[in-house]
Amino acid sequence: MPIPLFNSIASWLLKKRYHQIELFIKYPVDVQQEVLRQLFDYAKDTEVGKMHHFESITTYEDFTERVPIVSYECIAPMIERTRRGEQNVFWPTHIKWFAKSSGTTNAKSKFIPVSMEALEDCHYKSGKDLLCLYLNNNENSQLFNGKSLRLGGSKELYEDNGSFFGDLSAILIDNMPLWAEYSSTPSNKVSLMSEWELKMDAIIEESIKENVTSLAGVPSWMLVLLNNVLEKTGKSHLFEIWENLEVYFHGGVSFAPYRDQYKKLLPRKRFNYYETYNASEGFFGIQDRNNSEDLLLMLDYGIFYEFIPMDSYGKEEQRAIPIWEVRMGINYAMVISTNAGLWRYKIGDTVRFTSLDPYRIRITGRTKHHINAFGEELIIENAEEALEQVCKKTGSEIKDYTAAPIFMNGTEKGSHEWIIEFRRAPDNLNYFIELMDNALKSLNSDYEAKRYNNITLKMPRVHMAREDLFYDWLKSKNKLGGQHKIPRLSNSREHLEELMDLNRQSVH
């Protein structure tokens, strides 16, 4: 298809969709209530639907009284039955795809069901909406004159008992509509390669020949790829390779630690960064304005949202609330019911609302990725913002990090222990630690209270990691590339101890 004709058709379709987005922005409660009605009406004859009498549910209150809030461990047996070939267990249409994710649950691997409805009405719809919102804000965009360099997972799809599982990105690429494949690089064959390091070379080989106008992928792994591109080509920045590059669509991990590094690779003031919020369980949010850190919560993807205030999460008084009861500034754990048969499922992410008209959010972390060993409630959002502030003041750059508590021992007070891999180390590590501690105090009153006069917490301890420590740690676990992420904060010392041991081994 000639590019001008493709551009015209795409632009017309995207403008049409924008009016639908305006509709759920204007009537968010009505849209969400209709999504819920459609979900339990569609699934009323499934095993789960009969168990909870979906056919007689008429209100949100009925739904909450009959259907319990669940974690992955609660529904794993049902998912396993479906993986073995049983159908109509939690969703009426045939489920043959499962997105494999290590997650942060007690299960070694999660297998998240992916229905055709979820593929079409959520994941692929979100891809079109991302373009729709971006083009609505950038009328002179030349996005469709070139291709999007996508960086997906490094796992192949494996068939098992008549079902298929793999990284969500591999499932999406394998089922990708023609319009998306036509406008992407590298080829599907390269995108689905399982060996990360070989795949990296193949992506570079294919993509440097293309007119790349956008980038899409997780910031940490995309940075590895782009630095390799510059190394291979001998260029000083990416516009020397792809002159028409105009936007980077990113998600999966916080962009804050990587922002300044990307600005050096992409030294153009008018270059755009657009964040997305997607997971194996669904696609939830899209940045809908230029130069914003807020994500528009997408309300018509066949996902019904609920939120548990984190101050009651996991406690007896825990209660989930619908979108029409949320308030700004509160840290919530997200609960979803989806068009792939997840019912009141705790996804494990935490968010806070920055706007209620329309509903916009920021991702604040994970329900299990925080440090609260002493009542300090340190969340990833605090850590990322503090590190970003300190890096600017010290001229340093962080590649990766993780942190965990040092528990009290007799009269010995507690503390936080960090291991940080710097791309550019600070001149004075002690000064860096002091600034970080002060930044965390200013951002988190609970942390500040526990640090007051060293009553509970002493000054944090920070270790400098050797080069590529985190990369080698992931490689040792066969978790290179794509959707694999470094656990940033944890109440357990397991990850930190493994990294510290690996760091010590490399020194000797």
Side-chain angles (χ1 to χ4, degrees), residues 4-5 36-37 39 56 143 149 172 191 196 202 209-210 215 285 309-310 354 383 425:
L5 179 59
L36 182 59
R37 279 193 296 269
L39 285 175
S56 59
L143 202 64
L149 171 54
L172 296 180
S191 292
W196 167 253
K209 303 168 187 173
E210 299 283 359
L215 307 170
M310 278 303 290
T354 56

Side-chain angles (χ1 to χ4, degrees), residues 215 237-239 245 262-268 271 273:
L215 307 170
H237 60 74
L238 294 171
F239 298 121
L245 194 56
Y262 272 92
K263 285 180 179 177
K264 290 177 181 176
L265 300 180
L266 298 156
R268 198 177 276 174
F271 187 81
Y273 297 90

Side-chain angles (χ1 to χ4, degrees), residues 70-337:
V70 298
S71 61
Y72 183 79
E73 290 85 352
C74 299
I75 60 174
M78 282 187 169
I79 289 176
E80 190 57 31
R81 284 167 50 200
T82 306
R83 287 188 66 216
R84 292 195 189 117
E86 280 191 60
Q87 295 297 328
N88 207 39
V89 178
F90 42 77
W91 191 246
T93 60
H94 190 81
I95 302 277
K96 70 172 182 177
W97 299 100
F98 295 85
K100 185 180 179 183
S101 168
S102 56
T104 55
T105 69
N106 295 330
K108 183 179 178 182
S109 293
K110 296 190 296 183
F111 294 91
I112 303 300
V114 181
S115 66
M116 284 308 298
E117 290 81 5
L119 280 175
E120 293 296 333
D121 300 333
C122 180
H123 293 291
Y124 291 136
K125 188 176 182 179
S126 64
K128 289 179 276 191
D129 284 356
L130 177 59
L131 297 175
C132 172
L133 290 165
Y134 175 74
L135 293 173
N136 184 69
N137 294 329
N138 300 277
E139 293 181 357
N140 297 320
S141 169
Q142 299 299 306
L143 202 64
F144 289 137
N145 287 342
K147 293 192 173 185
S148 175
L149 171 54
R150 65 186 180 205
L151 183 59
S154 60
K155 295 280 186 176
E156 293 181 14
L157 293 167
Y158 299 96
E159 185 172 3
D160 185 35
N161 298 317
S163 64
F164 296 81
F165 65 90
D167 276 2
L168 175 67
S169 56
I171 293 171
L172 296 180
I173 289 167
D174 203 54
N175 290 276
M176 186 178 286
L178 282 175
W179 68 267
E181 188 175 346
Y182 175 80
S183 58
S184 301
T185 187
S187 62
N188 284 6
K189 181 181 177 182
V190 168
S191 292
L192 292 172
M193 287 175 66
S194 58
E195 175 53 51
W196 167 253
E197 288 163 337
L198 292 175
K199 174 179 173 177
M200 178 83 67
D201 292 335
I203 291 175
I204 295 171
E205 190 65 32
E206 283 196 11
S207 64
I208 58 176
K209 303 168 187 173
E210 299 283 359
N211 175 27
V212 173
T213 53
S214 67
L215 307 170
V218 176
S220 51
W221 293 110
M222 181 62 78
L223 194 62
V224 174
L225 173 66
L226 297 179
N227 279 317
N228 282 350
V229 168
L230 292 181
E231 186 178 343
K232 180 158 186 174
T233 59
K235 304 296 185 182
S236 58
H237 60 74
L238 294 171
F239 298 121
E240 293 180 322
I241 304 163
W242 301 304
E243 183 183 352
N244 300 313
L245 194 56
E246 62 176 82
V247 60
Y248 173 30
F249 300 113
H250 62 87
V253 299
S254 170
F255 192 57
Y258 306 103
R259 195 186 315 275
D260 289 341
Q261 295 173 59
Y262 272 92
K263 285 180 179 177
K264 290 177 181 176
L265 300 180
L266 298 156
R268 198 177 276 174
K269 285 186 178 179
R270 286 165 57 181
F271 187 81
N272 287 307
Y273 297 90
Y274 263 62
E275 185 174 357
T276 63
Y277 178 16
N278 60 312
S280 298
E281 294 87 350
F283 200 111
F284 311 123
I286 300 173
Q287 179 183 327
D288 65 319
R289 299 172 297 175
N290 288 343
N291 305 312
S292 172
E293 294 182 9
D294 303 331
L295 305 175
L296 180 68
L297 193 62
M298 307 306 285
L299 302 179
D300 65 347
Y301 284 1
I303 298 172
F304 181 76
Y305 298 98
E306 296 176 90
F307 303 89
I308 302 172
M310 278 303 290
D311 59 6
S312 67
Y313 183 82
K315 299 176 182 176
E316 204 171 305
E317 67 269 24
Q318 170 183 290
R319 174 179 168 261
I321 58 174
I323 196 169
W324 52 90
E325 291 185 24
V326 300
R327 290 183 290 150
M328 285 172 53
I330 293 175
N331 205 28
Y332 291 106
M334 200 155 78
V335 176
I336 57 173
S337 298

Side-chain angles (χ1 to χ4, degrees), residues 155 195-198 221 466 468-481 484 486 499 502:
K155 295 280 186 176
E195 175 53 51
W196 167 253
E197 288 163 337
L198 292 175
W221 293 110
R466 53 91 171 165
D468 290 334
L469 174 69
F470 287 86
Y471 183 94
D472 292 342
W473 180 68
L474 286 174
K475 187 175 183 178
S476 72
K477 295 178 174 291
N478 196 28
K479 288 187 175 182
L480 285 182
H484 296 297
I486 301 294
L499 284 157
L502 192 60

